[in-house]
Amino acid sequence: MKIKELISELQDFYLLSARGLLGAVKKPFYLKDMIEQMDYAGAGSFVIIFLVSIFTGMALSLQLSAELSSLGLKMYTGKVVGISIIREIGPVTAALVYAGRVGSGIASELGSMILGHQIDSLRVFGVDPMKKLVTPRILSSIIMLPALTIIGDVVSLCGGYYIAVFVSHQSGTFYWSSIRDVLTFENVFAGSVKPFIFGYLIACISCYMGLSTKGGSKGLRKSTTRAVVVSIVMIIVSDFILTRILLYVLGFSV
Amino acid sequence: MIVFDKVWFSYGINHVLKDISFTVSENERVAILGESGEGKTTILKLILGLIRPDAGKIIIDGEDITNKTEDELREVRMKFSIVFQEGALFDSLNVKENVAFCLREYSKLSEDEIDHKVRELLRIVGVEHAIELMPDELSGGMHRRVAIARSLAACEPKMFLYDEATTGLDPVNADIICKLILDLSKNGRGLILVTHKIFDAVKIAERFMFLKDGIILFDGDKEELVHSTVSEIQIYLNEVSLSCKANKSGG
């Protein structure tokens, strides 16, 4: 019975993910809803992404400076910070913050709409909830998470610069030239593909959890928690898989 | 016309409707009575195709809707106007935007025409003054009246469906809603009212169904209801007689 339920849930999730994305190419288009979602997801997340990124960059730079100093390789701080942030830490950190803030918001909003019969109202009025609610959230996440990741990367690198120059007493010019060196197509591509996938996953998982809410306020709590937890796990898992694929595709040897 | 033919429905292992069969013509005023959790709202959802029965057929105007797709059901749903329990207004939109929702979605009316129509509908239900308020700023009665206005904006329905339209309201507001429901049905449009408040049901309906343990325990008119020997119905009728006595003693 449990396996049957799990398969049925997975099927519903895949259908939602596919239909949500297909809604982008089929009329009617809810542009106003999408812009509203982009504002909530993007502009609303800017401050938290900024704060998390700057401290992540500073902590990373601090750790690496300390470790590399003991090996006499302090000048490589910029290079290692750059690669770590652009390829791995930047996209993952932004996605985790996004899942916590936006994913939970999507799940709780859709969940309360389910409980308040608002989704039923939409269906009665002939409006497809998938197009009206899911598609704008998926598209806004696919657009805004990469944008937030780029901002987060830049802020993290600045945080790393502050530590490298003012705490570890390294050359600022050398730090930035190391960063410039690692801004190769392979590194930038590897870092910029991930946020699109993460954004799509977070939006689909959160919409699915929200729309499958049942059981009153307790059920809403459960679906919101599940949305965040499943999103976080899926970000980490898919990050590993994507890293493996990207390293292979881009010709890196492991 | 709505036909339920041997309909079964369950939530998981809980069988809510068991082999239910009935027919409602489009100008009838029907009240479906029963305790909470007896499947009254489920019947409304089945009529609209929001959920599918486990077995049996649901026929609307001669068309079997049981296996229709969401797109095909859109046409069926346009025949009805529903007011969900507690209104189900979109809580991120104000009253005006709620009522205008369907007009904006489907009609080609200009903003001025939409504004005019929204005000007209709100005037009919008596809450024109609340046009700029958000749903959480409305009282229970206003909430239901706005929901009725919104359902009227949706289309020209053949029938009205009301889910616990007066539940949770004080007697004055409940009476206002009952009168409004009756007014809207004056031109021969039928309604199905789902409620556990028999006092309000007898004001509105001419036919009564009583659901218990997934089956229709009683189906008849007011006269038959009053003389029913079903013990559960007697409990409900006692409530009415107590209310009447209270009204008389209160002058």
Side-chain angles (χ1 to χ4, degrees):
Chain A
M1 189 67 186
K2 286 270 180 196
I3 293 170
K4 205 174 162 188
E5 271 173 29
L6 183 71
I7 291 169
S8 160
E9 273 191 36
L10 277 174
Q11 178 187 302
D12 290 345
F13 173 72
Y14 292 137
L15 281 174
L16 177 139
S17 307
R19 285 181 61 203
L21 201 58
L22 282 176
V25 291
K26 276 169 77 182
K27 279 186 177 180
F29 304 117
Y30 293 98
L31 197 64
K32 200 179 151 200
D33 296 71
M34 202 178 102
I35 292 167
E36 195 187 310
Q37 287 304 316
M38 283 168 75
D39 177 52
Y40 165 72
S45 306
F46 176 77
V47 175
I48 186 165
I49 289 279
F50 183 92
L51 283 172
V52 170
S53 299
I54 198 157
F55 284 104
T56 306
M58 283 161 71
L60 185 67
S61 184
L62 206 55
Q63 288 277 18
L64 287 169
S65 296
E67 196 58 34
L68 293 171
S69 290
S70 65
L71 299 168
L73 300 167
K74 207 160 79 171
M75 66 285 221
Y76 289 113
T77 305
K79 194 168 187 169
V80 183
V81 165
I83 291 175
S84 318
I85 285 172
I86 291 164
R87 284 215 321 227
E88 196 64 44
I89 296 173
V92 173
T93 307
L96 293 177
V97 171
Y98 194 88
R101 186 187 172 272
V102 182
S104 61
I106 290 174
S108 62
E109 187 184 10
L110 297 186
S112 69
M113 285 183 83
I114 283 275
L115 298 176
H117 294 294
Q118 291 175 46
I119 306 278
D120 284 341
S121 292
L122 282 177
R123 290 173 68 198
V124 170
F125 295 148
V127 176
D128 184 355
M130 207 58 78
K131 281 192 181 169
K132 172 89 178 155
L133 303 171
V134 177
T135 303
R137 281 162 177 78
I138 288 179
L139 292 182
S140 67
S141 294
I142 290 176
I143 295 167
M144 293 321 290
L145 187 54
L148 288 167
T149 304
I150 292 169
I151 294 168
D153 283 357
V154 172
V155 173
S156 287
L157 294 175
C158 291
Y161 168 83
Y162 173 79
I163 294 296
V165 174
F166 297 103
V167 178
S168 184
H169 306 295
Q170 297 174 38
S171 156
T173 316
F174 189 73
Y175 177 88
W176 286 120
S177 79
S178 303
I179 298 289
R180 224 178 12 250
D181 287 345
V182 298
L183 283 176
T184 57
F185 170 78
E186 288 83 2
N187 287 337
V188 174
F189 182 76
S192 52
V193 166
K194 288 178 183 176
F196 289 100
I197 313 280
F198 293 159
Y200 179 59
L201 275 175
I202 295 167
C204 290
I205 291 166
S206 306
C207 287
Y208 175 75
M209 294 302 175
L211 290 174
S212 52
T213 301
K214 51 190 167 194
S217 53
K218 211 172 170 182
L220 185 61
R221 183 186 69 184
K222 203 173 153 188
S223 60
T224 309
T225 309
R226 278 183 74 194
V228 177
V229 171
V230 175
S231 293
I232 289 172
V233 172
M234 287 312 293
I235 289 164
I236 308 287
V237 172
S238 61
D239 178 58
F240 169 74
I241 296 167
L242 280 169
T243 303
R244 193 76 189 92
I245 293 169
L246 286 165
L247 287 176
Y248 178 76
V249 170
L250 296 170
F252 287 94
S253 57
V254 183
Chain B
M1 185 186 276
I2 301 164
V3 179
F4 268 50
D5 183 18
K6 296 178 176 165
V7 171
W8 286 76
F9 185 83
S10 57
Y11 291 105
I13 51 164
N14 180 23
H15 292 291
V16 179
L17 301 177
K18 297 171 191 166
D19 206 23
I20 294 272
S21 295
F22 64 83
T23 302
V24 176
S25 62
E26 64 184 46
N27 54 2
E28 262 187 302
R29 297 201 306 272
V30 181
I32 301 176
L33 301 160
E35 292 164 37
S36 299
E38 290 291 350
K40 306 187 294 293
T41 303
T42 302
I43 289 180
L44 296 187
K45 286 187 174 180
L46 285 166
I47 292 170
L48 293 165
L50 294 172
I51 47 177
R52 291 181 197 279
D54 300 336
K57 274 193 235 172
I58 296 160
I59 298 160
I60 310 287
D61 288 342
E63 273 186 286
D64 184 357
I65 66 156
T66 321
N67 293 313
K68 277 188 182 287
T69 63
E70 196 73 7
D71 285 335
E72 291 167 337
L73 281 167
R74 224 159 273 167
E75 210 175 300
V76 176
R77 287 170 187 159
M78 285 299 170
K79 294 175 183 174
F80 300 96
S81 161
I82 184 164
V83 176
F84 283 105
Q85 200 167 358
E86 289 165 16
L89 298 178
F90 302 122
D91 48 20
S92 56
L93 306 178
N94 68 15
V95 168
K96 183 184 171 182
E97 288 163 339
N98 259 289
V99 180
F101 184 84
C102 270
L103 299 170
R104 290 209 172 105
E105 206 67 41
Y106 290 110
S107 73
K108 289 187 175 139
L109 297 175
S110 67
E111 270 307 304
D112 282 347
E113 287 168 322
I114 288 174
D115 185 70
H116 181 76
K117 176 119 196 211
V118 169
R119 285 179 192 280
E120 170 70 16
L121 289 167
L122 290 175
R123 190 187 55 74
I124 291 170
V125 298
V127 284
E128 199 185 356
H129 57 281
I131 190 160
E132 296 297 339
L133 295 182
M134 294 301 284
D136 62 358
E137 295 172 305
L138 302 174
S139 67
M142 286 161 85
H143 221 273
R144 309 291 162 88
R145 282 189 270 173
V146 173
I148 291 172
R150 186 181 66 172
S151 72
L152 290 171
C155 52
E156 273 298 312
K158 281 185 175 178
M159 268 191 108
F160 292 97
L161 309 175
Y162 298 100
D163 185 8
E164 304 280 7
T166 57
T167 302
L169 298 182
D170 60 84
V172 177
N173 266 308
D175 193 52
I176 290 168
I177 297 292
C178 288
K179 281 178 182 154
L180 186 59
I181 290 172
L182 270 177
D183 281 348
L184 293 172
S185 299
K186 262 183 185 158
N187 52 3
R189 283 189 287 198
L191 65 89
I192 298 178
L193 169 72
V194 154
T195 185
H196 61 262
K197 290 175 81 175
I198 197 165
F199 192 65
D200 294 330
V202 291
K203 283 184 203 167
I204 296 168
E206 54 194 10
R207 178 181 162 193
F208 302 85
M209 283 190 232
F210 192 90
L211 275 179
K212 178 78 184 164
D213 296 331
I215 57 165
I216 298 173
L217 211 59
F218 171 87
D219 186 353
D221 61 18
K222 205 178 283 183
E223 194 66 27
E224 288 167 315
L225 182 81
V226 171
H227 296 107
S228 168
T229 52
V230 178
S231 60
E232 284 86 355
I233 295 176
Q234 287 298 322
I235 296 167
Y236 273 72
L237 290 171
N238 285 340
E239 181 204 328
V240 181
S241 64
L242 281 173
S243 299
C244 290
K245 276 178 195 165
N247 280 348
K248 276 178 190 167
S249 63

